[in-house]
Amino acid sequence: MVGLRLLLAAVIAGFLLSTSESLRFELQSGHTKCIVEDVKNNAMTVGKYSVVNPNEGQPMPDSHKLTVRVTSHHGNNYHYSQLVESGQYAFVAAEEGDYMACFWAPDHKPQTTLTIEFDWKTGVAAKDWSNVAKKGTVDVMELELKKLFDTVTSIHEEMSYLRGREEEMQDLNRTTNSRMATLSLLSLFVCLGVAGMQLWHLKTFFEKKKLI
């Protein structure tokens, strides 16, 4: 029974940790393409990119190079490589929010299309489990349980983050509703005041004309 539970935990961990996959996309020369990833504060982030050689077994053409920059939503630069065929980056996010990886292919005549493989991992998925296994001298089952524990911790942190965002949105909704109610009352008083002034003006007009 214990072995079955451990096996089930390992399968769940493997499923949860297999959600990070490589992305392949095309980029024409002279154009830029950006990919955005939401990264939590103090989360480990690892990225790898490479240009696919259109002629396998042959040297990479000179036209197949790109410039890569990774920045935070505040504009802080975390990685920059110019005119490279491949590269990688790793950092611990000092800011929470959207991080942007932008790929730019220099202009080329005639225009060429680059195929780029990009793998971006954050949080638990970015952890080097091979080193964990070497340092801890653990067996396969223990390693899977470590992965599962870190995955559950990451999910818990994500839920806490979402709960905090939900509370912020609720506070914003309450503030907005309060302001809308105040504005509605103010609009009602203004309309009643304008109506009263119109009645007073009509009454004065009719009295001058001796109609009433």
CSV table of all heavy atoms in Angstrom, one decimal, residues 1-54:
chain,number,residue,atom,x,y,z
A,1,MET,N,0.8,-1.2,0.0
A,1,MET,CA,0.0,0.0,0.0
A,1,MET,C,0.9,1.2,0.0
A,1,MET,O,0.6,2.2,-0.7
A,1,MET,CB,-0.9,0.0,1.2
A,1,MET,CG,-1.8,1.2,1.3
A,1,MET,SD,-3.0,1.3,-0.1
A,1,MET,CE,-4.1,-0.1,0.3
A,2,VAL,N,1.9,1.2,0.8
A,2,VAL,CA,2.8,2.4,0.9
A,2,VAL,C,3.5,2.6,-0.5
A,2,VAL,O,3.7,3.7,-1.0
A,2,VAL,CB,3.9,2.2,2.0
A,2,VAL,CG1,4.9,3.3,2.0
A,2,VAL,CG2,3.2,2.2,3.3
A,3,GLY,N,4.0,1.4,-1.1
A,3,GLY,CA,4.6,1.5,-2.4
A,3,GLY,C,3.7,2.1,-3.4
A,3,GLY,O,4.1,2.9,-4.3
A,4,LEU,N,2.4,1.7,-3.4
A,4,LEU,CA,1.4,2.2,-4.3
A,4,LEU,C,1.2,3.7,-4.2
A,4,LEU,O,1.1,4.4,-5.2
A,4,LEU,CB,0.1,1.5,-4.1
A,4,LEU,CG,-1.0,1.9,-5.1
A,4,LEU,CD1,-0.6,1.6,-6.5
A,4,LEU,CD2,-2.3,1.1,-4.8
A,5,ARG,N,1.2,4.2,-2.9
A,5,ARG,CA,1.0,5.6,-2.7
A,5,ARG,C,2.2,6.4,-3.2
A,5,ARG,O,2.1,7.4,-3.8
A,5,ARG,CB,0.8,5.9,-1.2
A,5,ARG,CG,-0.5,5.4,-0.6
A,5,ARG,CD,-0.6,5.6,0.8
A,5,ARG,NE,-1.9,5.2,1.4
A,5,ARG,CZ,-2.3,5.3,2.6
A,5,ARG,NH1,-1.4,5.7,3.5
A,5,ARG,NH2,-3.4,4.9,3.0
A,6,LEU,N,3.4,5.8,-3.0
A,6,LEU,CA,4.7,6.5,-3.4
A,6,LEU,C,4.7,6.5,-5.0
A,6,LEU,O,5.1,7.5,-5.6
A,6,LEU,CB,5.9,5.7,-2.9
A,6,LEU,CG,6.1,5.8,-1.4
A,6,LEU,CD1,7.3,5.0,-1.0
A,6,LEU,CD2,6.3,7.3,-1.0
A,7,LEU,N,4.2,5.4,-5.6
A,7,LEU,CA,4.2,5.4,-7.0
A,7,LEU,C,3.2,6.4,-7.6
A,7,LEU,O,3.5,7.1,-8.5
A,7,LEU,CB,3.8,4.0,-7.5
A,7,LEU,CG,3.8,3.8,-9.1
A,7,LEU,CD1,5.1,4.2,-9.7
A,7,LEU,CD2,3.4,2.4,-9.4
A,8,LEU,N,2.0,6.5,-6.9
A,8,LEU,CA,1.0,7.5,-7.3
A,8,LEU,C,1.5,8.9,-7.2
A,8,LEU,O,1.3,9.8,-8.0
A,8,LEU,CB,-0.3,7.3,-6.5
A,8,LEU,CG,-1.4,8.3,-6.8
A,8,LEU,CD1,-1.9,8.1,-8.2
A,8,LEU,CD2,-2.6,8.0,-5.8
A,9,ALA,N,2.2,9.2,-6.1
A,9,ALA,CA,2.8,10.5,-5.8
A,9,ALA,C,3.8,10.8,-6.9
A,9,ALA,O,3.9,12.0,-7.4
A,9,ALA,CB,3.5,10.6,-4.5
A,10,ALA,N,4.6,9.8,-7.3
A,10,ALA,CA,5.6,10.1,-8.3
A,10,ALA,C,5.0,10.4,-9.7
A,10,ALA,O,5.4,11.3,-10.4
A,10,ALA,CB,6.5,8.8,-8.5
A,11,VAL,N,3.9,9.7,-10.0
A,11,VAL,CA,3.2,9.9,-11.2
A,11,VAL,C,2.6,11.3,-11.3
A,11,VAL,O,2.7,12.0,-12.3
A,11,VAL,CB,2.1,8.8,-11.5
A,11,VAL,CG1,1.2,9.2,-12.6
A,11,VAL,CG2,2.7,7.5,-11.7
A,12,ILE,N,2.0,11.7,-10.1
A,12,ILE,CA,1.4,13.1,-10.0
A,12,ILE,C,2.5,14.1,-10.2
A,12,ILE,O,2.3,15.1,-10.9
A,12,ILE,CB,0.6,13.2,-8.7
A,12,ILE,CG1,-0.6,12.3,-8.7
A,12,ILE,CG2,0.2,14.7,-8.5
A,12,ILE,CD1,-1.3,12.3,-7.3
A,13,ALA,N,3.6,13.9,-9.5
A,13,ALA,CA,4.7,14.9,-9.6
A,13,ALA,C,5.2,15.0,-11.1
A,13,ALA,O,5.5,16.1,-11.6
A,13,ALA,CB,5.8,14.4,-8.7
A,14,GLY,N,5.3,13.8,-11.7
A,14,GLY,CA,5.8,13.8,-13.1
A,14,GLY,C,4.8,14.6,-14.0
A,14,GLY,O,5.2,15.3,-14.9
A,15,PHE,N,3.6,14.4,-13.7
A,15,PHE,CA,2.5,15.1,-14.6
A,15,PHE,C,2.6,16.6,-14.3
A,15,PHE,O,2.5,17.4,-15.3
A,15,PHE,CB,1.2,14.5,-14.2
A,15,PHE,CG,0.1,15.3,-14.9
A,15,PHE,CD1,-0.2,15.1,-16.2
A,15,PHE,CD2,-0.7,16.2,-14.2
A,15,PHE,CE1,-1.2,15.7,-16.9
A,15,PHE,CE2,-1.7,16.9,-14.8
A,15,PHE,CZ,-2.0,16.6,-16.2
A,16,LEU,N,2.7,17.0,-13.1
A,16,LEU,CA,2.7,18.4,-12.8
A,16,LEU,C,4.0,19.1,-13.3
A,16,LEU,O,3.9,20.3,-13.7
A,16,LEU,CB,2.6,18.6,-11.2
A,16,LEU,CG,1.3,18.2,-10.6
A,16,LEU,CD1,1.3,18.3,-9.1
A,16,LEU,CD2,0.1,19.1,-11.2
A,17,LEU,N,5.1,18.4,-13.3
A,17,LEU,CA,6.3,19.0,-13.6
A,17,LEU,C,6.6,18.9,-15.1
A,17,LEU,O,7.6,19.4,-15.6
A,17,LEU,CB,7.5,18.3,-12.9
A,17,LEU,CG,7.5,18.6,-11.4
A,17,LEU,CD1,8.6,17.7,-10.7
A,17,LEU,CD2,7.8,20.0,-11.1
A,18,SER,N,5.7,18.2,-15.9
A,18,SER,CA,5.9,18.1,-17.3
A,18,SER,C,5.2,19.1,-18.1
A,18,SER,O,5.0,19.0,-19.3
A,18,SER,CB,5.5,16.7,-17.8
A,18,SER,OG,4.1,16.5,-17.5
A,19,THR,N,4.7,20.2,-17.4
A,19,THR,CA,3.9,21.2,-18.1
A,19,THR,C,4.8,22.2,-18.8
A,19,THR,O,4.3,23.0,-19.6
A,19,THR,CB,3.0,21.9,-17.1
A,19,THR,OG1,3.8,22.4,-16.1
A,19,THR,CG2,2.0,21.0,-16.5
A,20,SER,N,6.1,22.2,-18.6
A,20,SER,CA,7.0,23.1,-19.2
A,20,SER,C,7.6,22.5,-20.5
A,20,SER,O,8.3,21.4,-20.4
A,20,SER,CB,8.1,23.5,-18.2
A,20,SER,OG,9.0,24.4,-18.9
A,21,GLU,N,7.3,23.0,-21.6
A,21,GLU,CA,7.7,22.5,-22.9
A,21,GLU,C,8.4,23.5,-23.7
A,21,GLU,O,8.2,24.7,-23.5
A,21,GLU,CB,6.5,21.9,-23.7
A,21,GLU,CG,5.8,20.7,-22.9
A,21,GLU,CD,4.6,20.2,-23.7
A,21,GLU,OE1,4.3,20.8,-24.8
A,21,GLU,OE2,4.0,19.2,-23.3
A,22,SER,N,9.2,23.0,-24.6
A,22,SER,CA,9.9,24.0,-25.5
A,22,SER,C,8.9,24.6,-26.5
A,22,SER,O,8.0,23.9,-26.9
A,22,SER,CB,11.0,23.3,-26.3
A,22,SER,OG,12.0,22.8,-25.4
A,23,LEU,N,9.2,25.8,-26.8
A,23,LEU,CA,8.3,26.6,-27.8
A,23,LEU,C,9.1,26.8,-29.1
A,23,LEU,O,10.3,27.2,-29.0
A,23,LEU,CB,7.9,27.9,-27.2
A,23,LEU,CG,7.1,28.9,-28.1
A,23,LEU,CD1,5.8,28.3,-28.4
A,23,LEU,CD2,7.0,30.2,-27.4
A,24,ARG,N,8.5,26.5,-30.2
A,24,ARG,CA,9.2,26.7,-31.5
A,24,ARG,C,8.4,27.7,-32.3
A,24,ARG,O,7.2,27.5,-32.4
A,24,ARG,CB,9.3,25.4,-32.2
A,24,ARG,CG,9.9,25.6,-33.7
A,24,ARG,CD,10.1,24.2,-34.4
A,24,ARG,NE,11.3,23.5,-33.9
A,24,ARG,CZ,12.0,22.7,-34.6
A,24,ARG,NH1,11.7,22.5,-35.9
A,24,ARG,NH2,13.1,22.1,-34.1
A,25,PHE,N,9.0,28.7,-32.8
A,25,PHE,CA,8.3,29.7,-33.6
A,25,PHE,C,9.2,30.3,-34.7
A,25,PHE,O,10.5,30.1,-34.6
A,25,PHE,CB,7.8,30.9,-32.7
A,25,PHE,CG,8.9,31.6,-32.0
A,25,PHE,CD1,9.5,32.7,-32.5
A,25,PHE,CD2,9.4,31.2,-30.7
A,25,PHE,CE1,10.5,33.4,-31.8
A,25,PHE,CE2,10.4,31.8,-30.0
A,25,PHE,CZ,11.0,32.9,-30.6
A,26,GLU,N,8.6,31.0,-35.6
A,26,GLU,CA,9.4,31.5,-36.8
A,26,GLU,C,9.5,33.0,-36.6
A,26,GLU,O,8.6,33.7,-36.1
A,26,GLU,CB,8.7,31.2,-38.1
A,26,GLU,CG,8.7,29.7,-38.4
A,26,GLU,CD,8.2,29.3,-39.8
A,26,GLU,OE1,7.5,30.2,-40.3
A,26,GLU,OE2,8.4,28.2,-40.3
A,27,LEU,N,10.6,33.6,-37.1
A,27,LEU,CA,10.9,35.0,-37.0
A,27,LEU,C,11.5,35.4,-38.3
A,27,LEU,O,12.6,34.9,-38.7
A,27,LEU,CB,11.8,35.3,-35.8
A,27,LEU,CG,12.2,36.8,-35.6
A,27,LEU,CD1,11.0,37.6,-35.3
A,27,LEU,CD2,13.2,36.9,-34.5
A,28,GLN,N,10.9,36.4,-39.0
A,28,GLN,CA,11.5,36.9,-40.2
A,28,GLN,C,12.5,38.0,-40.0
A,28,GLN,O,12.5,38.7,-39.0
A,28,GLN,CB,10.4,37.5,-41.1
A,28,GLN,CG,9.4,36.5,-41.6
A,28,GLN,CD,8.4,37.1,-42.6
A,28,GLN,OE1,8.1,38.3,-42.5
A,28,GLN,NE2,7.8,36.3,-43.5
A,29,SER,N,13.5,38.0,-40.8
A,29,SER,CA,14.6,39.0,-40.6
A,29,SER,C,14.0,40.4,-40.7
A,29,SER,O,13.1,40.7,-41.4
A,29,SER,CB,15.7,38.8,-41.7
A,29,SER,OG,15.1,38.9,-43.0
A,30,GLY,N,14.6,41.3,-39.8
A,30,GLY,CA,14.1,42.6,-39.7
A,30,GLY,C,12.9,42.8,-38.8
A,30,GLY,O,12.4,43.9,-38.7
A,31,HIS,N,12.5,41.7,-38.1
A,31,HIS,CA,11.3,41.8,-37.3
A,31,HIS,C,11.6,41.4,-35.9
A,31,HIS,O,12.7,40.8,-35.6
A,31,HIS,CB,10.2,40.8,-37.8
A,31,HIS,CG,9.5,41.3,-39.1
A,31,HIS,ND1,10.2,41.2,-40.3
A,31,HIS,CD2,8.3,41.9,-39.3
A,31,HIS,CE1,9.4,41.8,-41.2
A,31,HIS,NE2,8.3,42.2,-40.7
A,32,THR,N,10.7,41.7,-34.9
A,32,THR,CA,10.9,41.4,-33.5
A,32,THR,C,9.7,40.6,-33.0
A,32,THR,O,8.6,40.9,-33.4
A,32,THR,CB,11.1,42.6,-32.7
A,32,THR,OG1,12.2,43.4,-33.2
A,32,THR,CG2,11.3,42.3,-31.2
A,33,LYS,N,9.9,39.6,-32.2
A,33,LYS,CA,8.9,38.9,-31.5
A,33,LYS,C,9.2,38.8,-30.0
A,33,LYS,O,10.3,38.5,-29.6
A,33,LYS,CB,8.7,37.5,-32.1
A,33,LYS,CG,7.6,36.7,-31.5
A,33,LYS,CD,7.3,35.4,-32.3
A,33,LYS,CE,6.7,35.8,-33.7
A,33,LYS,NZ,6.2,34.6,-34.4
A,34,CYS,N,8.2,39.1,-29.2
A,34,CYS,CA,8.4,39.1,-27.7
A,34,CYS,C,7.4,38.1,-27.1
A,34,CYS,O,6.3,37.9,-27.5
A,34,CYS,CB,8.1,40.5,-27.1
A,34,CYS,SG,9.3,41.7,-27.7
A,35,ILE,N,7.9,37.4,-26.0
A,35,ILE,CA,7.2,36.4,-25.3
A,35,ILE,C,7.2,36.9,-23.8
A,35,ILE,O,8.2,37.3,-23.3
A,35,ILE,CB,7.8,35.0,-25.4
A,35,ILE,CG1,7.7,34.6,-26.9
A,35,ILE,CG2,7.1,34.0,-24.5
A,35,ILE,CD1,8.5,33.3,-27.1
A,36,VAL,N,6.0,36.9,-23.2
A,36,VAL,CA,5.8,37.4,-21.8
A,36,VAL,C,5.5,36.2,-20.9
A,36,VAL,O,4.8,35.3,-21.2
A,36,VAL,CB,4.7,38.4,-21.8
A,36,VAL,CG1,4.5,38.9,-20.4
A,36,VAL,CG2,5.0,39.6,-22.7
A,37,GLU,N,6.2,36.3,-19.7
A,37,GLU,CA,6.0,35.3,-18.7
A,37,GLU,C,5.8,36.0,-17.4
A,37,GLU,O,6.5,36.9,-17.0
A,37,GLU,CB,7.2,34.3,-18.6
A,37,GLU,CG,7.1,33.3,-17.6
A,37,GLU,CD,6.1,32.1,-18.0
A,37,GLU,OE1,5.8,32.0,-19.2
A,37,GLU,OE2,5.7,31.3,-17.1
A,38,ASP,N,4.7,35.5,-16.6
A,38,ASP,CA,4.5,36.1,-15.3
A,38,ASP,C,5.3,35.4,-14.3
A,38,ASP,O,5.2,34.2,-14.1
A,38,ASP,CB,3.0,35.9,-14.9
A,38,ASP,CG,2.6,36.5,-13.6
A,38,ASP,OD1,3.3,37.5,-13.2
A,38,ASP,OD2,1.7,36.1,-12.9
A,39,VAL,N,6.2,36.1,-13.6
A,39,VAL,CA,7.2,35.5,-12.7
A,39,VAL,C,7.0,36.1,-11.3
A,39,VAL,O,6.8,37.3,-11.2
A,39,VAL,CB,8.6,35.8,-13.2
A,39,VAL,CG1,9.6,35.1,-12.2
A,39,VAL,CG2,8.9,35.3,-14.6
A,40,LYS,N,7.0,35.2,-10.3
A,40,LYS,CA,6.8,35.7,-8.9
A,40,LYS,C,8.1,36.2,-8.4
A,40,LYS,O,9.2,35.8,-8.9
A,40,LYS,CB,6.2,34.5,-8.1
A,40,LYS,CG,4.9,34.0,-8.6
A,40,LYS,CD,3.8,35.0,-8.6
A,40,LYS,CE,2.5,34.5,-9.1
A,40,LYS,NZ,2.6,34.1,-10.5
A,41,ASN,N,8.0,37.0,-7.3
A,41,ASN,CA,9.2,37.5,-6.7
A,41,ASN,C,10.0,36.4,-6.0
A,41,ASN,O,9.5,35.4,-5.5
A,41,ASN,CB,8.8,38.5,-5.6
A,41,ASN,CG,10.0,39.3,-5.0
A,41,ASN,OD1,11.0,39.5,-5.7
A,41,ASN,ND2,9.9,39.7,-3.8
A,42,ASN,N,11.4,36.4,-6.2
A,42,ASN,CA,12.3,35.4,-5.7
A,42,ASN,C,12.2,34.1,-6.4
A,42,ASN,O,12.7,33.1,-5.9
A,42,ASN,CB,12.2,35.3,-4.2
A,42,ASN,CG,12.5,36.5,-3.4
A,42,ASN,OD1,13.5,37.2,-3.8
A,42,ASN,ND2,11.8,36.8,-2.3
A,43,ALA,N,11.5,34.0,-7.5
A,43,ALA,CA,11.4,32.8,-8.3
A,43,ALA,C,12.6,32.6,-9.2
A,43,ALA,O,13.0,33.5,-9.8
A,43,ALA,CB,10.1,32.7,-9.1
A,44,MET,N,13.0,31.3,-9.3
A,44,MET,CA,14.1,31.0,-10.2
A,44,MET,C,13.6,30.9,-11.6
A,44,MET,O,12.5,30.4,-11.9
A,44,MET,CB,14.7,29.6,-9.8
A,44,MET,CG,15.9,29.3,-10.6
A,44,MET,SD,17.3,30.4,-10.3
A,44,MET,CE,18.5,29.8,-11.6
A,45,THR,N,14.4,31.5,-12.5
A,45,THR,CA,14.0,31.6,-13.9
A,45,THR,C,15.1,31.1,-14.8
A,45,THR,O,16.3,31.6,-14.6
A,45,THR,CB,13.6,33.0,-14.3
A,45,THR,OG1,12.4,33.4,-13.6
A,45,THR,CG2,13.2,33.0,-15.8
A,46,VAL,N,14.9,30.2,-15.7
A,46,VAL,CA,15.9,29.6,-16.6
A,46,VAL,C,15.3,29.6,-18.0
A,46,VAL,O,14.2,29.2,-18.2
A,46,VAL,CB,16.3,28.2,-16.2
A,46,VAL,CG1,17.3,27.6,-17.2
A,46,VAL,CG2,16.9,28.2,-14.8
A,47,GLY,N,16.1,30.1,-18.9
A,47,GLY,CA,15.7,30.1,-20.3
A,47,GLY,C,16.8,29.7,-21.3
A,47,GLY,O,18.0,30.0,-21.0
A,48,LYS,N,16.5,29.0,-22.3
A,48,LYS,CA,17.4,28.5,-23.3
A,48,LYS,C,16.8,28.7,-24.7
A,48,LYS,O,15.6,28.5,-24.9
A,48,LYS,CB,17.7,27.0,-23.1
A,48,LYS,CG,18.4,26.7,-21.8
A,48,LYS,CD,18.6,25.2,-21.6
A,48,LYS,CE,19.5,24.6,-22.6
A,48,LYS,NZ,19.8,23.1,-22.3
A,49,TYR,N,17.6,29.2,-25.6
A,49,TYR,CA,17.1,29.5,-27.0
A,49,TYR,C,18.2,29.1,-28.0
A,49,TYR,O,19.4,29.2,-27.7
A,49,TYR,CB,16.7,31.0,-27.1
A,49,TYR,CG,17.8,31.9,-26.7
A,49,TYR,CD1,18.7,32.4,-27.7
A,49,TYR,CD2,17.9,32.4,-25.4
A,49,TYR,CE1,19.7,33.3,-27.3
A,49,TYR,CE2,18.9,33.3,-25.1
A,49,TYR,CZ,19.8,33.7,-26.0
A,49,TYR,OH,20.8,34.6,-25.6
A,50,SER,N,17.7,28.8,-29.2
A,50,SER,CA,18.7,28.4,-30.2
A,50,SER,C,18.0,28.6,-31.6
A,50,SER,O,16.8,28.4,-31.7
A,50,SER,CB,19.2,27.0,-30.1
A,50,SER,OG,18.1,26.1,-30.1
A,51,VAL,N,18.8,28.9,-32.6
A,51,VAL,CA,18.3,29.0,-34.0
A,51,VAL,C,18.4,27.6,-34.6
A,51,VAL,O,19.5,27.0,-34.5
A,51,VAL,CB,19.0,30.1,-34.8
A,51,VAL,CG1,18.5,30.1,-36.2
A,51,VAL,CG2,18.9,31.4,-34.1
A,52,VAL,N,17.4,27.1,-35.2
A,52,VAL,CA,17.4,25.8,-35.9
A,52,VAL,C,18.2,26.0,-37.2
A,52,VAL,O,17.9,26.9,-38.0
A,52,VAL,CB,16.0,25.3,-36.1
A,52,VAL,CG1,16.1,23.9,-36.8
A,52,VAL,CG2,15.3,25.1,-34.8
A,53,ASN,N,19.1,25.1,-37.4
A,53,ASN,CA,19.9,25.1,-38.7
A,53,ASN,C,19.1,24.6,-39.8
A,53,ASN,O,18.6,23.5,-39.8
A,53,ASN,CB,21.2,24.3,-38.5
A,53,ASN,CG,22.2,24.5,-39.6
A,53,ASN,OD1,21.8,25.0,-40.7
A,53,ASN,ND2,23.4,24.1,-39.4
A,54,PRO,N,18.8,25.5,-40.8
A,54,PRO,CA,18.0,25.0,-42.0
A,54,PRO,C,18.6,23.9,-42.8
A,54,PRO,O,17.9,23.2,-43.5
A,54,PRO,CB,17.7,26.3,-42.8
A,54,PRO,CG,18.9,27.1,-42.5
A,54,PRO,CD,19.3,26.8,-41.0
